[in-house]
Amino acid sequence: MNRARLTFLGTGTSQGVPIIGCRCEKCTSTDPRDKRFRSSVLVEYCGMTILVDAGPDFRSQMIAAGVTHLDAILLTHNHKDHTGGLDDVRALNYIDRKVVHIYCEDYVLNSLKTEYAYAFTREKYPGAPEWAVHRIGTEPFVIYPMDRNRDLVWVRNEGYRYQLEDGSLVPTDSEPDIAERVNDPCFSGGQKGAKCNGVEIIPIRGWHDTLPVLGFRFGDIAYLTDMSSLPEEELAKLRGLRHITLNTVGYRPHHSHFSLDQALELADRIGAENTWLTHLSHSFPVHAQFCEELDRLCRERSIRSRVRPAWDGLVIG
């Protein structure tokens, strides 16, 4: 099995940490591990670079991680702290000269069409982001390296055009509905009949209160965020993990996120070697104290997994 490498770009709640105007111990901590962008991760897997969620801190996260190329963006759900930075893929369109491939559920796509209507119009404003949106569900799906035979070319005052092999330029909306082409490997992988070298991603269905959300498994690493419940049948997809990420926002029960007790119980049931907590609020102690508390709780409850709070910039794999 190919091993994935995961970098936490953000580990905070929808407000981040520090919260604007807050003067609590966590929000004023000088430990960089207590500074949290909105939740997102970068996954390097089978030679591809994959982003999970692009929230309001997307620009800063990409710059901090030195990212110049993305093969895919996977969206867990449609909330702004997970989609609010998608306009900034414009920079990658320009630098990489490629359309950015986004994978999401139908309802998320419908939300994007409303919030970013200018990215879906037939005659785009010059400089609008260039996306290829692929519909996914709860079945495993395959992503492919970004198309190397279809460059974007910037035409002054007109916007992007595709450059074909013969050098001619065509509008980016000249393709049929690109959202229907997720099962066409030759569109994303190269010439018809060429080996596409795709990689399988396993979605994990969870619930964010009453909203369906997706987590994802990449080999022996799984990333789950913004969940308050996980259907029993999904646990089978999480066997044999080295690392899993679970969300928790505080000690008390929450309508749309796991409490700490719920996260620890789930960590024990899944039994991964390591469990990393994300989507953390300023309700928890500063990093060093929180690590000590988690050690104590795991000993008292005989939890098999090693549980730690993740932090921005942490790399696992």
Side-chain angles (χ1 to χ4, degrees):
M1 178 182 291
N2 289 299
R3 284 197 168 186
R5 182 175 185 264
L6 183 150
T7 301
F8 289 93
L9 302 177
T11 55
T13 62
S14 59
Q15 297 185 85
V17 181
I19 294 174
I20 295 172
C22 183
R23 302 302 298 169
C24 75
E25 181 185 15
K26 283 73 68 180
C27 288
T28 56
S29 169
T30 59
D31 187 336
R33 293 171 297 183
D34 292 320
K35 311 296 184 186
R36 304 186 184 278
F37 282 137
R38 268 62 73 94
S39 291
S40 175
V41 294
L42 189 73
V43 180
E44 296 163 273
Y45 187 41
C46 297
M48 280 182 274
T49 304
I50 303 164
L51 179 73
V52 182
D53 289 335
D57 301 314
F58 172 80
R59 175 182 174 274
S60 297
Q61 291 167 333
M62 294 296 95
I63 292 172
V67 175
T68 59
H69 167 83
L70 290 174
D71 289 290
I73 297 177
L74 313 184
L75 298 178
T76 59
H77 62 299
N78 66 340
H79 285 171
K80 274 292 192 180
D81 55 322
H82 296 263
T83 65
L86 283 171
D87 181 78
D88 282 325
V89 304
R90 293 181 294 124
L92 294 176
N93 292 148
Y94 187 77
I95 295 296
D96 209 24
R97 296 181 63 197
K98 302 296 178 184
V99 67
V100 173
H101 291 259
I102 299 174
Y103 295 75
C104 63
E105 295 192 81
D106 274 328
Y107 82 89
V108 179
L109 173 56
N110 291 336
S111 180
L112 296 181
K113 287 180 176 179
T114 298
E115 295 178 17
Y116 295 99
Y118 58 90
F120 292 92
T121 58
R122 275 296 182 184
E123 295 183 7
K124 296 179 183 176
Y125 182 85
E130 293 289 347
W131 304 336
V133 184
H134 306 274
R135 296 182 178 95
I136 59 173
T138 57
E139 295 299 315
F141 61 96
V142 177
I143 64 172
Y144 301 90
M146 190 176 288
D147 185 0
R148 296 301 174 191
N149 300 311
R150 191 174 293 273
D151 285 341
L152 290 175
V153 175
W154 176 255
V155 179
R156 184 176 175 81
N157 297 326
E158 295 183 23
Y160 286 108
R161 298 292 184 266
Y162 282 132
Q163 184 171 39
L164 305 183
E165 290 184 354
D166 63 5
S168 61
L169 301 178
V170 298
T172 56
D173 62 11
S174 64
E175 291 287 343
D177 183 3
I178 205 166
E180 300 293 346
R181 306 191 67 163
V182 66
N183 294 319
D184 180 1
C186 293
F187 177 78
S188 293
Q191 294 288 344
K192 192 174 184 63
K195 185 177 180 181
C196 297
N197 297 317
V199 60
E200 183 179 74
I201 309 298
I202 299 174
I204 313 296
R205 165 62 77 222
W207 293 90
H208 187 36
D209 196 358
T210 59
L211 182 73
V213 298
L214 291 177
F216 301 100
R217 177 168 180 162
F218 309 90
D220 56 7
I221 293 180
Y223 178 75
L224 311 184
T225 187
D226 283 53
M227 292 185 183
S228 55
S229 64
L230 183 70
E232 190 71 23
E233 59 270 20
E234 294 299 284
L235 290 175
K237 298 179 182 179
L238 300 173
R239 293 173 181 157
L241 292 170
R242 284 191 305 127
H243 298 279
I244 189 167
T245 299
L246 301 176
N247 65 285
T248 179
V249 296
Y251 294 100
R252 295 183 296 179
H254 193 281
H255 69 100
S256 61
H257 290 276
F258 294 128
S259 67
L260 180 59
D261 281 344
Q262 289 172 319
L264 291 175
E265 179 183 357
L266 186 56
D268 191 45
R269 294 190 66 195
I270 293 170
E273 293 178 28
N274 301 279
T275 298
W276 301 96
L277 302 179
T278 194
H279 212 284
L280 301 168
S281 75
H282 68 167
S283 298
F284 294 114
V286 294
H287 181 84
Q289 293 177 18
F290 195 22
C291 288
E292 293 177 0
E293 179 180 359
L294 289 172
D295 283 343
R296 176 180 58 79
L297 290 172
C298 288
R299 286 195 305 270
E300 291 174 354
R301 304 180 189 194
S302 300
I303 293 175
R304 295 170 292 166
S305 184
R306 177 178 178 268
V307 183
R308 281 287 184 276
W311 64 88
D312 294 14
L314 170 66
V315 179
I316 60 175

